[in-house]
């Protein structure tokens, strides 16, 4: 395994920084002495982050990663605030509300792909020239999902967007290896991480909050593992007990992994539909 690089004094762009895992990654990087350009479409979340972090090594940038013009303008804004960019943590993403592939509205379907996939791709492409200018240690972290490893009932479009993100990360790593670039790419496949989004999903599924929270990995712990793996330049990282279980099952038998996922979630996701069809 490569030696861990220090984050101290380096400049990182973090998307989805206003809440959840993104917020925890920002906190972790700041604790390591890094400078952070926090990006989120949620202005209130960014304002709360700025108050908590204090002045000095943090800048905030409100934008939607699906807004191509805003993404194009971001590199100059980060340069104005920090003078350079050493790394990018792609964490911004939105979920699917447990809908069937045929039932999800077209606008929502396109929004999921625009934010989760195209937003990640375009932001990475926009910042890559700045990362290439750094003498060493430039990194790109791309967050995928458990849903990219195994089909999850009610999340077909979300899973497709995250599978596309994972393949983009792996393919980008190959491109950069071939170009003998010093930029490393780490693709993270997280399982259930305790965030407001997971809390809302548990409520939708009728799962007691205490049970869901006990099953999930704390967001701060997940963020620490993501940052550590990225600083080490690891290509692929699985985070969370459930993700590791499905990773192993998928290697042994994709059909078994798919069946376990179905049995775990299907009764909750399809119960209303089954009642209507009966």
């Amino acid at each position: 395994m490569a030696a861990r690089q220090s984050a101290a004094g380096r400049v990182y762009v973090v998307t989805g920084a206003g809440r959840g895992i993104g917020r925890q990654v920002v906190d972790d990087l700041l604790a390591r002495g890094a400078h952070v350009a926090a990006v989120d479409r949620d202005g209130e979340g960014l304002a709360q982050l700025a108050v908590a972090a204090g002045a000095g090594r943090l800048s905030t940038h409100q934008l939607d990663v699906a807004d191509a013009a805003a993404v194009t303008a971001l590199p100059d804004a980060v340069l104005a605030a920090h003078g350079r960019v050493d790394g990018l943590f792609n964490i911004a993403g939105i979920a699917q509300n447990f809908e069937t592939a045929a039932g999800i509205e077209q606008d929502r379907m396109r929004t999921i792909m625009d934010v989760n996939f195209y937003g990640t791709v375009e932001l990475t492409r926009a910042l890559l020239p700045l990362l290439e200018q750094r003498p060493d240690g430039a990194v790109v972290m791309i967050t995928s999902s458990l849903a990219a490893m195994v089909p999850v009932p009610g999340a077909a479009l979300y899973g497709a967007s995250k599978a596309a993100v994972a393949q983009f990360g792996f393919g980008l790593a190959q491109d950069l290896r071939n170009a003998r670039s010093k930029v490393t790419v780490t693709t993270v496949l997280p399982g259930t991480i305790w965030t407001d989004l997971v809390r809302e999903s548990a409520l939708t599924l009728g799962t007691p909050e205490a049970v869901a929270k006990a099953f999930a990995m704390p967001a701060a712990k997940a963020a620490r593992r993501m940052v550590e793996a990225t600083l080490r330049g690891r290509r692929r990282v699985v985070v969370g007990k459930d993700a590791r279980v499905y990773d192993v099952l998928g290697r042994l038998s994709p059909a078994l992994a798919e069946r376990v996922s179905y049995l775990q979630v299907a009764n909750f996701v399809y119960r209303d539909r089954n009642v209507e069809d009966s």
Side-chain angles (χ1 to χ4, degrees):
M1 180 181 296
R4 180 175 64 85
Q5 299 168 353
S6 173
R10 297 183 181 233
V11 178
Y12 297 93
V13 176
V14 181
T15 69
R19 59 185 298 190
I21 298 174
R23 169 68 181 270
Q24 295 297 325
V25 167
V26 171
D27 289 345
D28 188 275
L29 288 170
L30 290 174
R32 296 171 189 265
H35 298 252
V36 177
V39 177
D40 203 297
R41 64 178 180 177
D42 179 8
E44 182 178 349
L46 289 176
Q48 293 173 356
L49 172 61
V51 170
R57 290 183 283 113
L58 176 74
S59 66
T60 58
H61 308 265
Q62 184 178 2
L63 65 83
D64 185 341
V65 296
D67 183 338
V71 167
T72 300
L74 181 63
D76 286 340
V78 176
L79 287 177
H82 300 281
R84 68 179 191 274
V85 180
D86 294 294
L88 167 63
F89 285 75
N90 281 299
I91 302 176
I94 57 175
Q96 184 177 342
N97 298 322
F98 295 110
E99 303 154 296
T100 63
I104 186 172
E105 294 184 358
Q106 186 177 43
D107 287 347
R108 180 64 176 175
M109 175 183 69
R110 294 189 180 278
T111 298
I112 288 172
M113 292 302 298
D114 284 343
V115 173
N116 293 357
F117 178 62
Y118 289 111
T120 295
V121 171
E122 293 301 334
L123 192 59
T124 302
R125 283 163 51 94
L127 288 172
L128 194 56
L130 297 182
L131 296 174
E132 292 281 16
Q133 294 175 14
R134 303 304 299 148
D136 64 348
V139 296
V140 178
M141 192 275 271
I142 294 177
T143 303
S144 183
S145 170
L146 171 64
M149 301 166 62
V150 61
V152 176
L157 268 298
Y158 174 77
S161 71
K162 289 299 189 176
V165 165
Q167 290 303 314
F168 171 70
F170 298 142
L172 176 62
Q174 290 183 330
D175 290 344
L176 295 175
R177 182 188 304 124
N178 182 68
R180 292 179 172 81
S181 171
K182 293 181 179 179
V183 178
T184 62
V185 181
T186 299
T187 299
V188 180
L189 297 155
T192 306
I193 310 300
W194 187 248
T195 62
D196 290 341
L197 179 62
V198 172
R199 179 186 289 109
E200 293 165 5
S201 296
L203 180 64
T204 300
L205 294 174
T207 304
E209 181 173 319
V211 173
K213 189 173 184 179
F215 182 73
M217 174 179 282
K221 183 177 181 180
R224 183 171 64 252
R225 292 190 176 181
M226 291 178 181
V227 171
E228 286 284 341
T230 305
L231 293 177
R232 290 183 182 276
R234 294 181 59 185
R235 176 178 173 272
R236 179 181 186 272
V237 182
V238 179
V239 175
K241 293 181 179 178
D242 55 342
R244 290 198 296 271
V245 168
Y246 278 112
D247 189 40
V248 172
L249 283 180
R251 294 170 189 269
L252 295 175
S253 171
L256 177 59
E258 183 275 333
R259 184 62 177 169
V260 171
S261 174
Y262 180 86
L263 292 174
Q264 184 180 13
V265 183
N267 285 339
F268 296 101
V269 174
Y270 301 131
R271 58 187 173 186
D272 292 338
R273 177 174 292 275
N274 290 338
V275 169
E276 293 172 358
D277 292 344
S278 63

